[in-house]
């Protein structure tokens, strides 16, 4: 939006000596010293944390609006409002009085000059850091792939994703999908397509709600983002081009408010699937997949009448079995799925931690059993029996007719009460290896001993109390090591830390060879 407050709020020079040392993305809040989501005030150059950390940037603005009671304001003090700040990671500009992101600039172009100055500071710090890391690596063993900095172990090859304004929900999903090899490799091997040309070619853009462009491709921007991860060429990548495409084709995710990571994942996979069905550069991408795949036609899961890498990797089939309790008529229906949403059984909902002594620990098996157990439908879900010719009481049961290559399990942690959507904060125990799905199959006797075993590839975790607030991070396994992805920060972690996480979304990959791991 066009902000009218820039002239009175942008008062610092691009070469101001008041800025902290180091890269802008790692600057610390002057109040709580947190380096998560730093924002710099463009009036006084003070740095504070964003509203979804401790909210000191917003408080700085609010405190500046309180009238001075003991001292008379000078004309300069009255003019400077401290209303405009800049994200030190994405360089997006925000006005608190307008309550929106800003696209215009001052007459002297100070906002753009500050962006360029911060980018130069970031690049200089990154170059110095990379040189220091290279020097340390040269003195370390040849097999060492990790670097210890300030007491925390960080993977050099791993790349974080910058938070563009409460986009942790997107970052956690992207990092999880980037570590599912058979899915990620397909996109990275697609040919590059340059959609932007002419005056917009190569120009960095700062997108807003009102910006428009019909020439967009979700597949192409998704491919570029995946290619940028795990290259080791930068510590953090800004997925702003992908986020702009998300705004363009998924209206539900426009704006900078917190979103549900599971809902975003479903929208993302559905739109990737739809776009992949069409031809691109004269070649159908689904045709390329079928030519390069060894999967038989009988194992294909089709959604909307087509088969793409999305359904080839995540697609499974459920059998929905309904029985009329009056006449015994049985109805069977086969439904394709990309993920399974599992309720946390009510008897475990007060169990918030693994070590809590109040009853047994809820396990993933309990959630799967609750999903597949025989259930009597209540009065609001009466079944229309074709034999009785009216709605009758009935029972329902799910069977898995076909398991996917990657099993995505969503734990339903958010539920509606009368007015609010509350969070179920129950700890759910889950295995890192050997999740056995055989007992949930419709015809388990037709499955081999290893074909139903799954190993964990990634976990998405929601921190906080509500779906519209809090923070998302992800754990993912890469080349035998586990990493924690927290926006632009990526750290090596231990398996013991992963299994203690309160999982929201779990990604399990079908085991290809027997490793002797314990079953669930």
């Amino acid at each position: 939006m066009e902000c009218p407050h820039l002239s009175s709020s942008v008062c610092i020079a691009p070469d101001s000596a008041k800025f902290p040392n180091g890269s802008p993305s790692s600057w610390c809040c002057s109040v709580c010293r947190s380096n998560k989501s730093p924002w710099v005030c463009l009036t006084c150059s003070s740095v504070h944390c964003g509203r979804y950390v401790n909210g000191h940037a917003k408080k700085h603005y609010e405190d500046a609006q309180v009238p001075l009671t003991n001292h008379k304001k000078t004309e300069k003090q009255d003019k400077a409002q401290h209303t405009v700040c800049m994200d030190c990671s994405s360089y997006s500009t925000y006005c608190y009085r307008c309550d929106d992101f800003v696209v215009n600039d001052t007459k002297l172009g100070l906002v753009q000059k500050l962006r360029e100055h911060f980018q130069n500071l970031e690049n200089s710090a990154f170059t110095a850091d990379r040189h220091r890391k290279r020097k340390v690596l040269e003195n370390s063993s040849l097999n060492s792939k990790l670097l210890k900095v300030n007491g925390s172990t960080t993977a050099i090859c791993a790349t974080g994703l910058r938070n563009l304004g409460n986009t942790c929900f997107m970052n956690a999903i992207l990092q999880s999908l980037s570590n599912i090899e058979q899915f990620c490799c397909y996109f990275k091997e697609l040919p590059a397509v340059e959609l932007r040309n002419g005056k917009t070619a190569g120009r960095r853009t700062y997108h807003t709600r009102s910006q428009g462009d019909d020439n967009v491709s979700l597949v192409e921007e998704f491919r570029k983002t995946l290619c940028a991860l795990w290259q080791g060429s930068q510590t953090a990548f800004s997925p702003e081009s992908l986020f702009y495409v998300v705004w363009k084709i998924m209206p539900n995710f426009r704006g900078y408010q917190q979103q549900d990571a599971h809902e975003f994942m479903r929208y993302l996979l559905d739109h990737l699937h739809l776009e992949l069905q069409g031809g691109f550069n004269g070649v159908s991408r689904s045709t390329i997949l079928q030519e390069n795949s060894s999967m038989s036609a009988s194992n294909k899961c089709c959604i909307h009448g087509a088969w793409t890498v999305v359904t080839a990797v995540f697609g499974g089939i459920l059998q929905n079995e309904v029985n009329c309790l009056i006449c015994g008529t049985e109805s069977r229906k086969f439904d394709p799925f990309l993920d399974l949403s599992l309720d946390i059984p009510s008897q475990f909902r007060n169990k918030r931690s693994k070590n809590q002594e109040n009853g047994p620990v809820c396990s993933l098996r309990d959630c799967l059993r609750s999903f597949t157990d025989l259930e009597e439908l209540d009065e609001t879900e009466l079944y229309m029996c074709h034999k009785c010719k009216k709605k009758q009481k009935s029972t329902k049961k799910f069977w898995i007719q076909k398991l996917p290559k990657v099993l995505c399990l969503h734990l339903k942690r958010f539920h509606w009460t009368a007015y609010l959507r509350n969070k179920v904060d129950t700890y759910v125990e889950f295995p890192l290896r050997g999740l056995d799905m055989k007992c949930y199959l419709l015809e388990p006797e037709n499955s081999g001993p290893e074909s139903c075993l799954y190993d964990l590839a990634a976990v998405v975790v929601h921190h906080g109390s509500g779906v519209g607030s809090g923070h998302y991070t992800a754990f993912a396994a890469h080349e035998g090591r586990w990493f924690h992805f927290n926006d632009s920060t990526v750290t090596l972690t231990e398996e013991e830390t992963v299994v203690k996480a309160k999982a929201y979304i779990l990604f399990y990959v079908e085991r290809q060879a027997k490793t002797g791991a314990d079953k669930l």
Side-chain angles (χ1 to χ4, degrees), residues 184-198:
C184 179
C185 286
Y186 170 81
F187 286 94
K188 291 199 291 187
E189 291 170 1
L190 288 174
V193 178
E194 185 57 54
L195 293 175
R196 293 167 59 200
N197 49 47

Side-chain angles (χ1 to χ4, degrees), residues 317-341:
I317 300 175
L318 280 177
Q319 176 181 288
N320 184 357
E321 188 176 290
V322 180
N323 285 278
C324 176
L325 292 177
I326 305 301
C327 69
T329 299
E330 184 180 275
S331 173
R332 294 181 181 179
K333 181 183 178 183
F334 291 94
D335 297 312
F337 69 86
L338 296 178
D339 69 310
L340 298 178
S341 291

Side-chain angles (χ1 to χ4, degrees), residues 323-330 376 382-383 385 387-395:
N323 285 278
C324 176
L325 292 177
I326 305 301
C327 69
T329 299
E330 184 180 275
E376 183 173 338
L382 293 178
Y383 162 66
C385 179
K387 187 174 182 180
C388 298
K389 305 296 184 182
K390 62 179 181 178
K391 291 185 176 181
Q392 301 283 25
K393 287 187 176 182
S394 59
T395 59

Side-chain angles (χ1 to χ4, degrees), residues 470-486:
H471 183 61
Y472 286 98
T473 65
F475 294 95
H478 185 81
E479 296 181 352
R481 291 182 173 91
W482 279 94
F483 296 88
H484 183 218
F485 298 90
N486 183 5

Side-chain angles (χ1 to χ4, degrees), residues 140-146 481:
S140 63
S141 64
L142 294 175
N143 295 328
S144 176
K145 293 184 178 180
L146 303 171
R481 291 182 173 91

Side-chain angles (χ1 to χ4, degrees), residues 107 135 413 465:
K107 291 181 179 180
K135 205 168 183 180
R413 291 196 174 275
S465 58

